């Protein structure tokens, strides 16, 4: 039970294609990434989540897979992967890879064989209909504006196939035992190459069994498929995990954890959306409510908290009015900053105009919230975005390493880069890059290294029982985490104005509070309530010690 590595992990998500180009062709690759492992070690992260790196027509950033058992030749070879995996292991860094098996690319040989020959076994790998069925209910198309339907006619097949996402991403039929066996083979393959788990892409859609369409046998409990995946995973590698992308309401989320026999980790989309509402209002209440709404997590379960990911900042669980409040604060131009009528295409630092104090407060909160933090590459720098790019690409520009050519990402000609490096405005690579920020004492990067170190030294945050504390001030969020008799308290001010928070700390009476971030004198809790003077966007972490002063 003590060996749940993910409870106190710091996960870092990156896309190999945009991280570091090792051979100068303008596309990031495994060789380049491997060269940057010491940077990641220095930053203190303990686990890398690699976005899809499989052969792909690349019409959805690699989430349209053509071959699950290989590496896209643009990014390297399987040999390069193994080298990377070995060197990561040497440094104590674990690897999680994306498992994208809700759908395949329509260029996948399974799909191509299916449409060539209906008698082939691959026909039943997908979901077909002679007539165009009603569009899938519940959520309908995933990319409104870019996608019209969930059933598209394939000329060569003479039938319609189902797809939740783009029409080039045909949904797999997981009611077919052969498809489930394929998925196990894929998992087994990457586990054998040293990965510590999978991010399960589009988990709710993977398990929805098209019951509404009456095309397939009705299955009472679709979540049973997760049990099957988890059993297989654990037989093959006991410490490997499933981390699900499931943007669902709290009552649904508990089914993904069940009693600890399904997913070990779930992304906390619910907390994420309400965090942005809280920040827009400069009030803690929405985040307090969101964490209180979350279902209890089984002892081996864990939330994966994040600020931004590679997709749009989806706000679909909030009302239109709430979305408008967030728009007004962080993304006022609906035409350029929003997508799918539900989310924001920006990275976080530009949303807050690079306000360093607010950035630090936010990442301090991320690192201390109950669960495990997931950083997206470049967040440690406060990297910007490029709104001139289409769809979700503004937040996917290359990593910024140095003030040199292409931000040190690649030696190729700028027009040959996979995506342009941010070179205009406040966040341009000449100013925002690893080489410059690491030498600047108060920079976000230097701060992040210290903050990550601190987080790892506070296992109470990832492992403990947590409790949200009343602060008697609307803009202050405070929580207390207790584990094995040790206590850490974190306090965050969501407002730019200084204030006083009054916390009830009955359980910690006569104990000493050691300020973990700032070099400030220790305080003693000498009454049941204790006042804290906070600066605007302040963040404080305290360890409660036994010694009485
Ligand atoms: C997930 C990914 C997203 C992708 C989609 C389809 O939501 O995060 O980037 O487009 O799945 O695979
Ligand atoms: Ca390259």
């Amino acid at each position: 039970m003590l060996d749940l590595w993910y409870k106190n992990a710091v996960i870092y998500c990156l896309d190999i294609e945009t991280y570091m180009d090792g051979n100068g062709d303008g596309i990031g690759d495994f060789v380049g990434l491997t060269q940057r492992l010491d940077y990641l070690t220095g930053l203190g992260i303990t686990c890398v989540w690699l976005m899809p790196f499989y052969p792909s027509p690349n019409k959805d950033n690699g989430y349209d897979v053509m071959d699950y058992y290989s590496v896209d030749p643009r990014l390297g070879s399987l040999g390069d992967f193994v080298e990377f995996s070995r060197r990561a292991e040497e440094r104590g860094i674990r690897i999680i890879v994306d498992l994208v098996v809700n759908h395949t690319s329509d260029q996948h040989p399974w799909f191509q064989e299916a449409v060539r020959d209906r008698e082939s076994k691959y026909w039943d790998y997908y979901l077909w209909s002679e007539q165009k069925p009603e569009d899938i209910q519940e959520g309908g198309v995933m990319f409104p504006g870019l996608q019209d339907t969930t059933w598209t006619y394939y000329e060569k097949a003479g039938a319609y196939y189902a797809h939740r996402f783009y029409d080039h991403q045909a949904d797999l039929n997981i009611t077919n035992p052969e498809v489930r066996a394929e998925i196990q083979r894929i998992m087994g393959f990457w586990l054998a190459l040293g990965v510590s788990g999978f991010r399960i892409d589009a988990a709710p859609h993977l398990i929805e069994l098209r019951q509404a369409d009456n095309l397939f046998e009705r299955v009472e409990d679709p979540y049973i498929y997760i049990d099957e995946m988890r059993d297989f995973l654990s037989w093959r590698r006991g410490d490997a995990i499933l981390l699900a992308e499931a943007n669902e309401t709290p009552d649904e989320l508990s089914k993904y954890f069940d009693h600890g026999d399904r997913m070990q980790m779930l992304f906390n989309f619910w907390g994420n959306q309400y965090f942005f509402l809280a920040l827009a209002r400069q009030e803690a209440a929405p985040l307090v409510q969101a964490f209180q709404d979350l279902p209890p997590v089984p002892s081996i379960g864990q939330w994966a908290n994040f600020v931004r990911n590679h997709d749009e900042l989806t706000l679909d669980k909030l009302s239109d009015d709430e979305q408008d409040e967030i728009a007004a604060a962080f993304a006022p131009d609906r035409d350029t900053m929003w997508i799918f009528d539900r989310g924001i295409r920006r990275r976080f630092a530009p949303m807050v105009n690079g306000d360093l104090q607010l950035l630090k407060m936010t990442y301090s909160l991320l690192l201390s919230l109950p669960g495990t933090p997931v950083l997206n590459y470049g967040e440690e720098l406060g990297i910007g975005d490029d709104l001139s790019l289409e769809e979700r690409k503004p937040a996917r520009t290359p990593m910024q390493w140095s003030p040199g050519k292409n931000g040190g990402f690649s030696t190729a000609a700028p027009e040959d880069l996979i995506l342009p490096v941010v070179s205009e405005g406040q966040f341009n690579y000449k100013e925002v890059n690893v080489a410059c920020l690491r030498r600047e004492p108060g920079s976000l990067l230097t701060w992040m290294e210290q903050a990550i170190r601190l987080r790892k030294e506070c296992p109470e945050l990832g492992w403990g029982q947590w409790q949200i504390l009343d602060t008697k001030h609307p803009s202050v969020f405070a929580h207390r985490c207790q584990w094995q008799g040790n206590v850490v308290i974190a306090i965050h001010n969501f407002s730019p104005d200084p204030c006083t928070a009054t916390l009830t700390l009955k359980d910690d009476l006569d104990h000493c509070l050691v300020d973990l971030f700032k070099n400030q004198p220790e305080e003693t809790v000498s009454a049941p309530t204790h006042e804290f003077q906070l600066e605007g966007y302040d963040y404080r972490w305290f360890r409660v010690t036994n010694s009485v002063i």
Side-chain angles (χ1 to χ4, degrees):
M1 192 47 87
L2 287 177
D3 197 24
L4 305 178
W5 61 269
Y6 51 93
K7 287 268 185 181
N8 202 32
V10 180
I11 302 177
Y12 186 93
C13 166
L14 64 88
D15 192 351
I16 291 148
E17 183 174 84
T18 49
Y19 202 60
M20 181 65 206
D21 176 13
N23 66 355
D25 65 355
I27 305 171
D29 45 48
F30 272 103
V31 169
L33 169 60
T34 307
Q35 289 164 3
R36 290 298 185 241
L37 266 170
D38 288 316
Y39 166 74
L40 292 171
T41 311
L43 185 57
I45 60 107
T46 62
C47 176
V48 174
W49 151 27
L50 298 178
M51 289 169 58
F53 51 79
Y54 317 103
S56 161
N58 221 13
K59 291 191 197 160
D60 181 17
N61 203 34
Y63 284 92
D64 45 336
V65 179
M66 268 169 73
D67 177 1
Y68 292 100
Y69 299 102
S70 191
V71 169
D72 188 322
R74 299 171 317 134
L75 311 182
S77 64
L78 268 182
D80 294 331
F81 176 87
V82 171
E83 247 342 85
F84 165 70
S85 147
R86 162 87 187 132
R87 283 167 197 245
E89 191 187 352
E90 273 173 6
R91 289 160 176 81
I93 294 179
R94 292 180 181 260
I95 302 168
I96 291 180
V97 297
D98 243 292
L99 185 66
V100 192
V101 288
N102 170 67
H103 46 260
T104 71
S105 161
D106 60 0
Q107 302 305 306
H108 194 291
W110 299 340
F111 190 81
Q112 288 301 316
E113 188 55 25
V115 297
R116 201 187 60 76
D117 176 10
R118 273 188 187 217
E119 298 306 311
S120 100
K121 71 169 191 169
Y122 296 109
W123 181 260
D124 285 335
Y125 272 39
Y126 297 91
L127 301 151
W128 299 101
S129 177
E130 299 300 327
Q131 309 299 325
K132 186 170 189 297
E134 289 280 294
D135 258 332
I136 296 169
Q137 298 303 302
E138 286 183 34
V141 301
M142 291 307 295
F143 299 137
L146 297 173
Q147 178 198 358
D148 301 327
T149 176
T150 53
W151 289 92
T152 293
Y153 190 69
Y154 206 89
E155 201 66 56
K156 210 164 150 193
Y160 293 84
Y161 63 96
H163 57 92
R164 264 291 186 177
F165 295 89
Y166 294 109
D167 61 4
H168 57 77
Q169 291 167 319
D171 282 7
L172 282 166
N173 171 16
I174 67 150
T175 58
N176 179 348
E178 290 198 46
V179 170
R180 299 210 297 270
E182 290 278 8
I183 294 174
Q184 292 191 344
R185 264 193 294 278
I186 297 164
M187 292 170 72
F189 180 81
W190 293 104
L191 288 169
L193 291 187
V195 309
S196 291
F198 301 93
R199 170 198 181 258
I200 308 298
D201 185 60
H205 307 302
L206 174 64
I207 61 167
E208 72 187 349
L209 300 177
R210 299 290 181 273
Q211 299 170 33
D213 306 308
N214 286 328
L215 279 177
F216 301 96
E217 195 185 338
R218 201 181 167 85
V219 179
E220 287 304 324
D221 182 2
Y223 296 91
I224 284 171
Y225 177 55
I226 308 179
D227 297 62
E228 191 182 307
M229 267 188 144
R230 168 61 193 282
D231 281 349
F232 176 81
L233 178 89
S234 299
W235 288 326
R236 285 294 167 96
R237 183 168 169 171
D239 65 349
I241 61 155
L242 299 174
L243 161 57
E245 182 206 21
N247 175 15
E248 297 273 39
T249 48
D251 52 322
E252 282 296 311
L253 289 173
S254 63
K255 299 178 194 159
Y256 289 83
F257 284 126
D258 203 38
H259 304 292
D261 42 7
R262 291 182 181 159
M263 305 290 184
Q264 287 94 338
M265 295 186 79
L266 293 183
F267 281 107
N268 191 354
F269 282 94
W270 186 259
N272 180 254
Q273 302 196 21
Y274 284 96
F275 164 67
F276 276 92
L277 185 61
L279 212 55
R281 289 187 182 165
Q282 303 180 356
E283 279 176 11
L287 190 65
V288 172
Q289 187 62 48
F291 268 80
Q292 280 164 354
D293 290 343
L294 289 175
V297 168
S299 60
I300 69 161
Q302 183 80 326
W303 296 112
N305 294 312
F306 60 98
V307 175
R308 281 289 285 115
N309 63 20
H310 62 287
D311 289 325
E312 80 282 7
L313 165 63
T314 179
L315 299 170
D316 64 335
K317 299 291 181 284
L318 305 180
S319 70
D320 287 350
D321 287 347
E322 290 168 337
Q323 291 189 12
D324 286 345
E325 288 179 63
I326 294 173
F330 304 124
D333 185 354
R334 285 258 173 189
D335 290 343
T336 61
M337 296 173 176
W338 284 67
I339 188 168
F340 308 142
D341 208 20
R342 62 161 184 248
I344 297 173
R345 319 193 296 146
R346 311 185 78 185
R347 278 196 173 113
F348 184 60
M351 284 197 237
V352 298
N353 302 315
D355 181 330
L356 193 55
Q357 184 63 24
L358 174 48
L359 286 168
K360 290 179 184 174
M361 189 282 288
T362 299
Y363 290 104
S364 160
L365 182 73
L366 173 72
L367 290 167
S368 65
L369 279 174
T372 292
V374 183
L375 284 167
N376 198 7
Y377 74 96
E379 280 191 297
E380 71 273 32
L381 308 175
I383 198 174
D385 50 35
D386 183 345
L387 290 172
S388 71
L389 300 172
E390 54 170 13
E391 299 181 23
R392 287 167 289 170
K393 287 182 183 159
R396 295 174 178 176
T397 56
M399 181 64 173
Q400 296 172 195
W401 295 104
S402 79
K405 183 179 178 187
N406 299 324
F409 160 67
S410 171
T411 55
E415 59 274 19
D416 292 338
L417 301 187
I418 175 92
L419 280 174
V421 182
V422 173
S423 50
E424 305 285 327
Q426 187 185 353
F427 302 96
N428 78 81
Y429 68 81
K430 293 206 167 93
E431 284 165 62
V432 178
N433 63 69
V434 173
C436 293
L437 297 192
R438 72 191 304 173
R439 289 180 177 82
E440 213 180 281
S443 75
L444 188 61
L445 178 60
T446 331
W447 177 88
M448 193 74 81
E449 284 176 18
Q450 291 166 1
I452 289 175
R453 172 189 293 224
L454 202 53
R455 153 71 200 214
K456 292 195 294 192
E457 289 169 0
C458 297
E460 296 86 350
L461 299 170
W463 280 91
Q465 297 287 330
W466 55 270
Q467 176 194 355
I468 294 175
L469 303 171
D470 186 20
T471 66
K472 304 270 185 293
H473 195 286
S475 56
V476 181
F477 181 91
H479 65 292
R480 182 180 186 276
C481 299
Q482 181 159 7
W483 184 60
Q484 296 192 337
N486 297 316
V487 176
V488 170
I489 293 169
I491 309 177
H492 292 86
N493 180 6
F494 292 179
S495 151
D497 303 320
C499 68
T500 304
T502 310
L503 273 60
T504 303
L505 297 176
K506 279 202 213 75
D507 296 338
D508 306 309
L509 198 59
D510 293 333
H511 286 60
C512 193
L513 300 179
V514 180
D515 189 315
L516 296 175
F517 261 112
K518 298 178 181 170
N519 193 17
Q520 281 184 348
E522 301 168 350
E523 304 185 39
T524 303
V525 183
S526 49
T529 60
H530 192 83
E531 286 191 355
F532 294 86
Q533 308 301 328
L534 303 173
E535 301 295 324
Y537 294 132
D538 210 351
Y539 50 92
R540 314 275 298 270
W541 296 15
F542 296 97
R543 169 160 283 115
V544 179
T545 67
N546 288 326
S547 53
V548 180
I549 292 183

